[in-house]
Amino acid sequence: MASIKYWRLYLLTVILGIGGSFQYGIQVSFIAPPAEHIQSFVNYTWMWRYGSPVEDSSNQLIWSFIVAVLSLGAWAGAIHSGSFPVKYGRKKALLINNVVAMVAALLMLFSRTARSFEMILLGRFLYGYNVGLGVSVHLMYLGESSPKELRGFLTLTGSIFIAFGKVFGQIIGIKELLGTDNAWPLLLAISGLPAFFQFTTLLLFPESPRYTYIDKGDTEACKRALQWLWQEEDLKEELSDMQKERESALGQKAKTVKDVLTSRCVRWQLLTLAIPCAGVQLCGINALYFYAFDIFRESGVPESQMHYLAIGIGATELITVSLCSFLIDRAGRKKLMGYGYLLMGTTMAILSVMLSIKDLNPVIPYLNICLIFCVISIYGLGPSGVSMALPADLFLQAWRPSAYVISGTINWIGMFLVGLCFGYIVDALGQFCFLIFVVYCFLSAAFLIYFVPETKGKTMVEIMMDFNQLNFKNKSEINIEVHDVGKGTKF
């Protein structure tokens, strides 16, 4: 089969995923199981230092910071995803990032020995930095190393590795494995292993071909990298596309985050990046994970079994995201994500109504569990996967790093705000809390279906020309501003 010749590219995909998006999935899932053990450790440390137990409110505040500091670290990592990959290259940026994760793992591992919960806080921040930088550079590196016919499938594997990381984190966090009072430091340090794996294996792979050609101007190194990764000799079409992109960048100033935010020639790409992709946190999926436990309790599920149902939800997301990888280059990004948001919004609206009448019939709580699994399945088949793949299509080389800074900032701030505010929203609105996310889903669906052009099977330059039909009202403006691209990103 023709696809077998890309086996080295597939291997690179696995290595990038394990050290990139997989880390994200682990970090958002494995922190809940050892919560009581970590809070007990905070109380023990406080008593050892000050001779009295910590107040419950202070202990809860420290725990909230341990959970939330991941998002702040990820935001810092996302900000640096615009400068590090340009200055050091995609490969070296990931190698440096792996060292950060390994340092964080050591802090977690020895935190109990040192009797320091501050080491856990610092470790979580560094883990967040690793995730924020790693996810962006992972997708950048992979998208720039893939042929156009595989770009959607391979970049979507970022979502597969996130879902896999969630399931892995939930499984190793159960009390039969590492979710115990003795083993929780090992659980928190587990992310050091994927980082070490990527650090040692990525050394064997070449730098991103597009970065090598367009940013560094090294045609021969780019050609060698493509031949090694793709096992192809005829690279004329790919090199021609890179040449067009490089020529359009010559003589132009470097693009900053401000340029991306203010430039007319990427206005609709920015809206597409911000609303349905980076804003995916606002679709309510994390809130649904949180609220699911209340629905399980109402259905009579024993507390001891809750964690296993959560693993079931994570496994459902993993299976559906994997199915999405086979659909994305057939159905297209626009349809999968647009109609996915539409179905998500409709299902959550039905769930809100069913939650309000749950006492009318004993069967309704079980139907609500089914609706939760339906929402998770729709999310995996559409928005989850495409939100990873689509951003790699939207921007030319010069704009891409700064675009990922914006994407990461929106994503991580959105996650931080949802995590911070959702409890208060539930207290105020009860089961109708999902209606806020329903509105976002419907707006994103309308935006994608009616405005965003399809990107599957197109080169970067072809996609840019499609968006220029939206960015500029008349053709003369397109000709003047189409070449407004730069060679890098500065801060």
Side-chain angles (χ1 to χ4, degrees), residues 226-242:
L226 288 174
Q227 288 173 338
W228 192 83
L229 287 170
W230 297 4
Q231 301 287 285
E232 283 186 10
E233 293 298 326
D234 185 11
L235 300 167
K236 289 182 181 179
E237 184 179 352
E238 187 69 21
L239 292 173
S240 175
D241 180 53
M242 292 187 196

Side-chain angles (χ1 to χ4, degrees), residues 52-259:
S52 61
V54 64
E55 295 181 3
D56 289 342
S57 59
S58 299
N59 200 347
Q60 184 59 43
L61 182 63
I62 293 170
W63 169 248
S64 297
F65 270 107
I66 289 173
V67 174
V69 77
L70 179 81
S71 298
L72 299 179
W75 183 20
I79 290 173
H80 283 141
S81 69
S83 55
F84 269 33
V86 173
K87 184 176 182 180
Y88 300 108
R90 282 49 166 161
K91 177 179 173 179
K92 191 176 290 186
L94 286 177
L95 293 175
I96 295 171
N97 197 41
N98 289 323
V99 174
V100 174
M102 288 186 278
V103 170
L106 290 174
L107 288 171
M108 295 297 195
L109 188 62
F110 293 106
S111 59
R112 184 165 60 181
T113 305
R115 296 175 180 174
S116 172
F117 61 82
E118 293 87 354
M119 290 173 67
I120 299 177
L121 280 166
L122 179 57
R124 281 282 285 177
F125 180 85
L126 292 178
Y127 272 151
Y129 184 92
N130 169 261
V131 168
L133 179 62
V135 170
S136 295
V137 182
H138 163 199
L139 297 176
M140 227 181 287
Y141 193 161
L142 190 56
E144 293 171 5
S145 301
S146 306
K148 65 181 181 181
E149 63 270 18
L150 290 175
R151 193 171 62 235
F153 165 72
L154 292 180
T155 51
L156 184 144
T157 58
S159 289
I160 294 177
F161 278 104
I162 289 176
F164 180 41
K166 287 180 181 178
V167 176
F168 180 80
Q170 289 166 340
I171 291 174
I172 63 173
I174 62 176
K175 59 182 180 295
E176 290 83 358
L177 295 177
L178 298 180
T180 64
D181 188 42
N182 292 325
W184 65 260
L186 291 173
L187 177 63
L188 297 187
I190 200 73
S191 284
L193 295 179
F196 180 76
F197 172 79
Q198 188 183 80
F199 184 87
T200 53
T201 54
L202 195 59
L203 293 169
L204 305 175
F205 287 80
E207 178 58 87
S208 156
R210 296 187 77 88
Y211 172 81
T212 304
Y213 189 108
I214 298 171
D215 287 61
K216 296 299 182 183
D218 192 339
T219 309
E220 289 304 313
C222 170
K223 193 173 181 179
R224 286 195 302 271
L226 288 174
Q227 288 173 338
W228 192 83
L229 287 170
W230 297 4
Q231 301 287 285
E232 283 186 10
E233 293 298 326
D234 185 11
L235 300 167
K236 289 182 181 179
E237 184 179 352
E238 187 69 21
L239 292 173
S240 175
D241 180 53
M242 292 187 196
Q243 179 63 23
K244 290 177 184 177
E245 195 171 333
R246 177 171 169 76
E247 287 175 354
S248 68
L250 292 175
Q252 299 292 329
K253 66 177 183 178
K255 298 301 174 183
T256 64
V257 170
K258 181 180 178 181
D259 292 327

